[in-house]
Amino acid sequence: MENIRRIDPISPDRERIREAAEIIRRGGTVAFPTETVYGLGANALDDEACKKIFSIKGRQQDNPIIVHINDFEQLESVAQGLRGKIREGFERVWPGPLTVVLEKKNVGIVPTAGLDTIAVRMPAHRIPQELIRESGRPIAAPSANKSGRPSPVFASEVFEDLGTKVSLILDGGPAYFGVESTVVIFKDGEIMILRPGAFSAEDLKEIFKMKVKISGVSSDTPISPGMKYRHYAPEKELYLGISEETILEECKRGDALFIGSAETAKKINSESIVLGSRKDLYEVAKNLFPSFRKLDKSRYSRGVIEGFEEKGIGLAIMNRIIKATGGRKLQNNEKRE
Ligand code: AMP
Ligand code: MG
């Protein structure tokens, strides 16, 4: 674990930031916490550096990476087309967990997988902010997990997946939301959510005063290429329990580990992983990805997870659960889909 360094998330040590920024400038990779999950960053303008991200994660070449910026001036150096009311909206929500797909500026921005668009975000976490500022570069950063695995909320989970393949892991404690940013595109006066995330559909509607649509996951030519891959998944089989009754039955038999709300866990007379109260979906979101890793380390051969209301961050929670189950549902005792 010699590549992990502790750093204060509220007032990051300058020396540590300088060391990390130097690695970024020289074409290396640094993992760091953000307000969503841990990211694996490299200089977005350096082809070779970005290639390292793909190879370290085992990420498909056609899956572009979000570019992180610190201010609107830097945004304009990589992307164009953020104007009028939409720009005013972003002046309100940024920094924050909202990513927007824009037209790419004609500069050598590499991690866009040959698309003429670029996904950008201004993170609301002091560590990436300081890193972008100190390195003077826009930073390309996907989640710092091995491709397909649950996104990391803790530095130890980054190490678990990537080990010493990444030059430096900045351990600034847990990421704040525990789910990734919301990815949107503005088109024909509407907002299309390409990936639900920490920024809610309700807030989008309220701030931009536009109709909000949610893109289907299964289209043949997804605008957001990352959506087509099975994702966020534990190695063990995970089922979505459709009713409380089937969940109770399955867990009683003793070979499935329950993952879900404190309310349901109370009714189950076996071991379980409590995500939080159904009344606090932010708590549930924070514990979701780590629970998948706990399932893999447990003595159980499979997990059964319950659904949550698709309200606020609940939309992202359900999106991740469905992706993690690969569509497996527990209908009743006999039938597993
Ligand atoms: P990750 O970096 O792992 O958090 O995933 C980033 C998400 O943003 C993936 O679903 C990508 O497909 C999506 N994305 C990144 N760049 C673009 C882009 N230019 N157009 C559409 N989606 C994008
Ligand atoms: Mg990811």
Side-chain angles (χ1 to χ4, degrees):
M1 308 234 264
E2 68 279 9
N3 57 340
I4 303 186
R5 297 272 186 286
R6 290 301 305 261
I7 181 165
D8 189 314
I10 307 298
S11 66
D13 180 69
R14 292 195 64 92
E15 243 340 280
R16 203 113 286 171
I17 290 291
R18 263 190 224 123
E19 184 194 357
E22 185 59 25
I23 294 174
I24 296 285
R25 270 197 304 267
R26 287 204 187 139
T29 54
V30 176
F32 50 82
T34 77
E35 79 275 31
T36 57
V37 297
Y38 268 74
L40 175 63
N43 177 3
L45 306 174
D46 179 340
D47 195 10
E48 290 308 311
C50 290
K51 278 188 192 148
K52 288 182 191 163
I53 294 180
F54 285 92
S55 77
I56 290 171
K57 277 180 63 83
R59 188 177 175 103
Q60 302 280 344
Q61 294 292 334
D62 66 348
N63 192 3
I65 297 172
I66 295 169
V67 173
H68 296 73
I69 43 115
N70 242 356
D71 51 43
F72 283 89
E73 199 183 314
Q74 198 173 34
L75 168 81
E76 277 146 26
S77 75
V78 296
Q80 56 202 10
L82 197 63
R83 284 185 286 267
K85 288 259 172 293
I86 300 177
R87 180 175 163 131
E88 280 169 29
F90 276 92
E91 281 167 7
R92 284 178 65 192
V93 306
W94 272 352
L98 183 63
T99 297
V100 61
V101 174
L102 294 169
E103 245 174 274
K104 188 166 97 168
K105 268 264 172 78
N106 199 14
V107 287
I109 310 152
V110 214
T112 53
L115 298 173
D116 49 15
T117 54
I118 177 170
V120 276
R121 169 166 111 79
M122 205 185 279
H125 192 295
R126 284 298 303 276
I127 294 176
Q129 286 174 350
E130 289 296 304
L131 198 52
I132 298 166
R133 188 192 51 73
E134 182 70 34
S135 66
R137 311 283 189 275
I139 294 183
S143 49
N145 53 292
K146 217 167 117 203
S147 250
R149 298 269 297 143
S151 298
V153 176
F154 299 95
S156 58
E157 296 172 341
V158 176
F159 188 81
E160 193 173 277
D161 275 19
L162 309 180
T164 52
K165 282 190 239 163
V166 39
S167 311
L168 176 64
I169 300 172
L170 292 173
D171 179 358
Y176 303 149
F177 286 104
V179 292
E180 301 84 346
S181 64
T182 302
V183 181
V184 296
I185 188 164
F186 288 79
K187 227 176 153 217
D188 307 324
E190 294 179 344
I191 306 174
M192 173 79 86
I193 296 184
L194 301 174
R195 175 180 73 183
F199 199 92
S200 76
E202 292 87 342
D203 283 349
L204 279 172
K205 197 165 166 223
E206 164 68 28
I207 283 168
F208 293 98
K209 311 266 183 257
M210 284 181 196
K211 188 168 172 191
V212 178
K213 284 187 172 167
I214 298 155
S215 138
V217 179
S218 57
S219 83
D220 290 336
T221 49
I223 317 176
S224 200
M227 296 298 276
K228 70 186 181 201
Y229 299 110
R230 182 167 179 249
H231 239 113
Y232 318 119
E235 268 144 29
K236 291 187 180 163
E237 282 183 358
L238 183 67
Y239 291 85
L240 176 63
I242 297 301
S243 75
E244 207 171 272
E245 199 191 346
T246 56
I247 294 174
L248 291 174
E249 276 298 315
E250 182 76 5
C251 293
K252 225 172 21 193
R253 284 212 301 269
D255 49 355
L257 179 60
F258 173 70
I259 303 176
S261 69
E263 288 86 351
T264 308
K266 247 193 228 162
K267 299 181 191 165
I268 291 175
N269 229 347
S270 67
E271 216 179 318
S272 48
I273 300 178
V274 175
L275 298 175
S277 165
R278 223 178 269 142
K279 294 192 201 97
D280 185 0
L281 293 181
Y282 284 103
E283 187 66 25
V284 171
K286 246 191 271 186
N287 289 316
L288 185 69
F289 286 140
S291 80
F292 297 164
R293 290 176 185 265
K294 281 187 197 156
L295 169 65
D296 283 340
K297 288 182 192 126
S298 77
R299 63 186 172 86
Y300 293 86
S301 56
R302 61 177 184 276
V304 49
I305 189 164
E306 72 177 332
F308 290 87
E309 200 182 353
E310 288 185 306
K311 211 174 74 185
I313 203 167
L315 185 69
I317 293 173
M318 283 314 289
N319 171 273
R320 305 305 186 268
I321 289 179
I322 286 161
K323 290 222 152 198
T325 59
R328 288 188 191 97
K329 285 180 196 154
L330 196 66
Q331 308 278 25
N332 58 43
N333 300 339
E334 276 69 53
K335 202 170 151 210
R336 280 206 194 93
E337 276 195 348

